[in-house]
Amino acid sequence: MNTENEIIEQEEQAGVAEMEEEQFTVAANIRKVLLMGYNGANNTGSEARLLAIIEEVREMVGPEVQITIPTICGENLRRYVKEEANLKIVEYPTVYFFALYRLVKEHDLILLTEGSCYMDTWSSCLLWAWLWVTGCANKKGKIVVAYAVDSGYLSPFNQKLVRRIASKTDLIITRTRAAADRLKSWKVNAPIEATADSAFGFRPDPADCDFLKKSWPETSAGVIGIAAVDFYLWPVVFRPFGRAKNCYRWPYYYSDSHQRRSDRKTLAKNYARFADQMIDTYGLPVALICMEQLDEPLAVMILSAMRRPEKVRIFSSREFNTSQMTSVLRSLDLLVTSRYHAGVLSLDAAIPQIAIGHDQRLRDLYRELELFDDYFLEYTSLQLFEVLEERAEKLMNDPDSQRETLCRNSQNQHMWAKQNPVLLKQLLYREHLDREVIL
């Protein structure tokens, strides 16, 4: 006769076997997955998110699942994502409605993978693409999930669109609690869960761990990083014509005016002065880190305005992949960033950092990292660079004052990010059970 413990163990084994069988059935129902996001822009953060999400989808659904990645620039996307038998890159036109409708119709599961999903900071055209895909998926009875995304400023009109269309999403997973709260405040009534960014799951190539020192031996004693953003390019607007240098992809153009060009020059000069001062004070070189290719023109302007350009080097996502760029970020003594993912990808190495922000994403991240009050600076502040110099001096002289906070919150972010595939799997399991009941 079996003992009580043996009976319990047998029941547990039977339960595990049943769950594995159910999960196999769920996976069998998901044969084709569409990853809809801002892909192919030579953007380090987007690259890290996409690679991590591809890995999570394969682990959850199975390596045989067919993954499709849409893009308007396949050449850039193929730099870091290799097409395989079960992974396909599909280019679509900038006037995207029919092409995206067709892609949605052909897939079983649609994941909105763009981090800046529910905001029009960059362009309403991007927001409308994510909402169009959501509406198409709902109409065709497809499962659509916003996967570790963000929310931010929306015009009143776009708030109404998000309230109506995002509410049709089967599950919205946000990467901060503040993003979830904003969606709820807009009365989006889809199921909403708050976790952390998928990029926390990105694993750099171990061969790149000393990439910075190998490629730039002068950094062996230390280096200061600046991930600057040209705040004066946005929003991208839809227009039939404009300056060729301002064209992102026709018919989308970056914002431009005499005042914006003047403000851009002032920003570059202030960064150049700050970088020169850091070089003079600490004797360390400065890495200008372009997390997206479009950051390069501002980096060149900064470099051109410096007294000590020989102590500076530009590292761009156009030239280096995410593993290499992450190695650069994790090799710094200090990071000054306006890029969300520079903060995210440097966090595991507890790199002391200061943010200069212009949108809600960095504000929310720095609140969750417990850095907002002391180390988040608004780019419109009249005393921006005076305060930056003060904060930088504090961290250079006492980096440990921030590192304990960074280490603790890095662990928290990783813990929350691991919930993303768990939440998705639970949704698919519920959908499978509902389908079984109907049948």
Side-chain angles (χ1 to χ4, degrees):
M1 181 180 294
N2 292 336
T3 66
E4 183 177 352
N5 287 339
E6 289 174 334
I7 293 173
I8 293 174
E9 183 177 351
Q10 290 172 1
E11 290 177 347
E12 288 178 346
Q13 290 174 350
V16 168
E18 182 179 354
M19 178 61 74
E20 288 176 347
E21 183 179 350
E22 289 287 3
Q23 288 176 344
F24 175 80
T25 305
V26 172
N29 291 330
I30 305 298
R31 299 178 300 276
K32 300 181 72 175
V33 179
L34 183 69
L35 304 183
M36 185 66 203
Y38 182 57
N39 303 312
N42 286 339
N43 180 301
T44 298
S46 176
E47 183 177 333
R49 280 179 57 86
L50 181 60
L51 293 174
I53 291 170
I54 290 171
E55 187 173 322
E56 289 175 356
V57 168
R58 285 173 168 168
E59 288 178 356
M60 180 189 61
V61 183
E64 72 286 348
V65 66
Q66 176 67 55
I67 296 175
T68 303
I69 307 172
T71 179
I72 62 174
C73 191
E75 181 181 356
N76 289 344
L77 183 56
R78 289 181 179 93
R79 287 180 57 237
Y80 58 90
V81 174
K82 306 302 180 185
E83 289 190 274
E84 305 167 357
N86 292 330
L87 192 150
K88 181 170 61 173
I89 293 172
V90 175
E91 296 192 54
Y92 63 92
T94 51
V95 181
Y96 46 70
F97 299 99
F98 177 75
L100 294 184
Y101 174 80
R102 179 176 54 79
L103 282 171
V104 168
K105 187 171 64 172
E106 294 171 353
H107 290 78
D108 307 306
L109 170 65
I110 291 84
L111 297 185
L112 304 181
T113 60
E114 170 52 39
S116 302
C117 191
Y118 301 115
M119 58 178 67
D120 55 21
T121 308
W122 320 113
S123 170
S124 290
C125 300
L126 284 175
L127 170 68
W128 297 340
W130 322 139
L131 295 180
W132 172 254
V133 166
T134 302
C136 292
N138 179 260
K139 182 177 180 180
K140 300 303 295 184
K142 308 291 185 176
I143 302 172
V144 57
V145 176
Y147 197 75
V149 302
D150 226 318
S151 66
Y153 174 80
L154 289 174
S155 68
F157 173 75
N158 283 334
Q159 276 194 33
K160 291 179 182 178
L161 279 181
V162 168
R163 179 185 309 123
R164 180 168 62 86
I165 301 175
S167 294
K168 299 176 182 179
T169 313
D170 292 285
L171 174 64
I172 297 174
I173 305 172
T174 64
R175 59 188 182 187
T176 63
R177 270 127 289 281
D181 291 341
R182 270 190 298 277
L183 288 168
K184 292 173 183 177
S185 73
W186 298 335
K187 296 182 172 54
V188 174
N189 58 23
I192 299 174
E193 299 282 351
T195 59
D197 195 83
S198 301
F200 283 105
F202 172 72
R203 293 176 288 190
D205 186 340
D208 291 326
C209 64
D210 292 323
F211 171 75
L212 182 60
K213 291 179 181 178
K214 290 178 180 177
S215 59
W216 195 13
E218 292 87 342
T219 63
S220 58
V223 61
I224 294 165
I226 299 175
V229 165
D230 185 349
F231 305 116
Y232 306 104
L233 289 173
W234 291 285
V236 172
V237 294
F238 183 97
R239 58 175 56 151
F241 56 86
R243 290 188 173 195
K245 69 177 184 179
N246 293 327
C247 183
Y248 170 62
R249 292 282 189 282
W250 188 89
Y252 305 118
Y253 289 80
Y254 294 112
S255 296
D256 185 41
S257 69
H258 176 75
Q259 185 61 52
R260 287 174 180 268
R261 292 193 292 272
S262 176
D263 290 340
R264 180 178 300 121
K265 290 179 182 178
T266 300
L267 179 66
K269 289 179 180 178
N270 284 331
Y271 265 124
R273 182 178 55 80
F274 169 75
D276 279 326
Q277 180 181 344
M278 298 300 286
I279 292 169
D280 292 341
T281 303
Y282 301 103
L284 299 179
V286 170
L288 298 178
I289 301 167
C290 302
M291 296 290 288
E292 185 170 349
Q293 181 176 340
L294 62 85
D295 296 340
E296 286 187 31
L298 179 63
V300 171
M301 289 179 68
I302 295 170
L303 183 60
S304 300
M306 291 187 63
R307 291 185 290 102
R308 304 288 303 277
E310 75 282 359
K311 299 284 286 184
V312 179
R313 182 171 169 182
I314 295 174
F315 290 85
S316 174
S317 58
R318 176 181 57 82
E319 183 179 0
F320 302 110
N321 63 36
T322 292
S323 180
Q324 295 165 332
M325 293 290 283
T326 300
S327 179
V328 171
L329 291 166
R330 294 180 182 179
S331 301
L332 302 174
D333 291 78
L334 173 69
L335 170 65
V336 177
T337 181
S338 295
R339 281 286 182 181
Y340 175 93
H341 279 108
V344 167
L345 294 173
S346 66
L347 192 60
D348 278 4
I351 302 301
Q353 56 186 272
I354 305 166
I356 299 176
H358 74 303
D359 72 279
Q360 200 60 52
R361 302 172 308 157
L362 259 178
R363 294 187 190 99
D364 293 344
L365 176 66
Y366 264 52
R367 285 193 177 96
E368 292 209 342
L369 299 182
E370 303 175 73
L371 302 178
F372 180 81
D373 291 339
D374 293 326
Y375 296 105
F376 182 89
L377 311 178
E378 292 286 349
Y379 86 102
T380 53
S381 170
L382 296 178
Q383 296 181 315
L384 172 61
F385 281 88
E386 288 82 352
V387 177
L388 174 61
E389 291 167 7
E390 175 191 320
R391 299 292 191 272
E393 180 181 5
K394 177 181 178 181
L395 289 179
M396 289 299 293
N397 292 330
D398 185 16
D400 290 339
S401 65
Q402 197 187 74
R403 281 193 172 125
E404 188 278 330
T405 300
L406 293 169
C407 290
R408 180 177 68 255
N409 284 291
S410 175
Q411 294 174 353
N412 291 339
Q413 294 292 322
H414 275 279
M415 177 181 66
W416 294 329
K418 288 178 181 178
Q419 291 301 306
N420 294 332
V422 173
L423 290 169
L424 180 56
K425 182 178 288 187
Q426 289 173 349
L427 171 69
L428 296 179
Y429 185 66
R430 290 195 299 271
E431 291 285 339
H432 166 69
L433 292 182
D434 290 345
R435 189 175 302 178
E436 289 292 303
V437 170
I438 292 173
L439 293 177

